Amino acid sequence: MKGLVFHGPGESSWQEVPDPGIKDPTDAIVRVDTVTICGTDLHILKGDVPEVRPGTVLGHEAVGEIVEVGSDVRTVRPGDRVLVSCITACGRCRYCREGTYGQCRGGGGWILGHLVDGTQAEYVRVPYADLSVHPLPSTLTAKDAVLLADIFPTSYEVGVVNGCVRPGDTVAVVGAGPIGLAAIATARLFSPERIVAVDLAPARLEAARRLGADAVADAREAPEQLVSDLTDGLGADVVIEAVGVPETFELCTRMVRPGGHVANVGVHGKPATLHLEDLWIKNVTITTGLVDTHSTPTLLRMAAAGRLPTSSLVTHTFPLDEMEQAYDVFSRAADTGALKVVLGEPQHDVVAVPAA
């Protein structure tokens, strides 16, 4: 088969790689129909995630069809259409028993495209398949479903839930890329008074408005002043960091009100300064986190019911074998306007027509 292989910082290629096979009785092999590219994949290519070894197939999000299962797999079988989650869960360790699958100590957590070969390929081996793939309702398209493998549960759990968004809150989302936009969409489920989006790109700020932001601010034009003006000098109740650079994290800590929450979602490759000389007196809660995906079944039901604007984030589509072109477009989002790129051939049911 072919897959997108990481060769070291700045180097990758779409090339032939060995077909995956069943290694453990809890494995499943999935034929990949649809994948997407995550900002974390770009961090890997920049060298920000040194645990990823050269030779690894990247990717941790996919929709596909089960083609083979190990002897211990009970919840899916060949022919099932499934969502491959970005998080793998053994189901037995302490963290999995608490529902914090992202911290799995039994060989799971974030492993696809990180510690083992991932989903940006024609086939993928998924360990612990019973808890790590989700059967898909027939009403949900692959383009909608694939965004539920990572960005929507990540934004919802690590941003909105960890940030404790409540009705009537002022929520500021710093970064209007895919994660930030999904945070805006899921924050609206809790009826905040207002949502403020901050970014550098006018196209992304316009997308934030379409997805429910009540106000937008250019990151270069003192967005903390806008938040202060909107809240009578108080500050935002919840600030969600969705970029992953020191400047945006420090901006978030300046925008939050005393007693408020800063929920960091962005993947950071460099240290950020924590200004405790200002924050120690403000009763501020700062959370970090890797998604656990415990919300994925709920989000799947909501998407199937039309309650989540998933595919509205998709700006570009490619065949699977144009992976390198898709990475180029996604990595130059400021020039291309890319939010999410989705790769895969559309699947069509074959309808038998009786002879006249």
Side-chain angles (χ1 to χ4, degrees), residues 66-209:
I66 300 285
V67 295
E68 186 179 0
V69 296
S71 58
D72 287 352
V73 175
R74 297 289 181 266
T75 61
V76 291
R77 60 185 180 180
D80 285 351
R81 181 170 168 263
V82 297
L83 173 71
V84 179
S85 176
C86 65
I87 296 296
T88 303
C90 79
R92 297 190 297 269
C93 71
R94 172 178 174 175
Y95 287 110
C96 284
R97 288 178 180 272
E98 294 173 351
T100 50
Y101 307 124
Q103 304 301 323
C104 174
R105 299 296 295 274
W110 172 37
I111 59 172
L112 292 174
H114 180 207
L115 305 180
V116 302
D117 285 339
T119 59
Q120 289 170 2
E122 294 172 325
Y123 292 85
V124 60
R125 179 181 72 93
V126 182
Y128 300 117
D130 279 333
L131 282 174
S132 306
V133 301
H134 300 271
L136 290 178
S138 59
T139 56
L140 199 58
T141 69
K143 187 161 69 170
D144 282 306
V146 73
L147 300 192
L148 299 171
D150 185 353
I151 68 163
F152 270 87
T154 293
S155 299
Y156 177 68
E157 295 176 19
V158 185
V160 176
V161 175
N162 282 3
C164 299
V165 175
R166 296 178 298 181
D169 278 354
T170 292
V171 179
V173 179
V174 178
I179 287 287
L181 294 173
I184 291 168
T186 52
R188 291 187 66 200
L189 301 174
F190 291 82
S191 300
E193 179 182 358
R194 64 175 67 87
I195 299 174
V196 182
V198 179
D199 202 281
L200 293 170
R204 292 193 166 192
L205 293 176
E206 180 57 34
R209 284 193 183 276

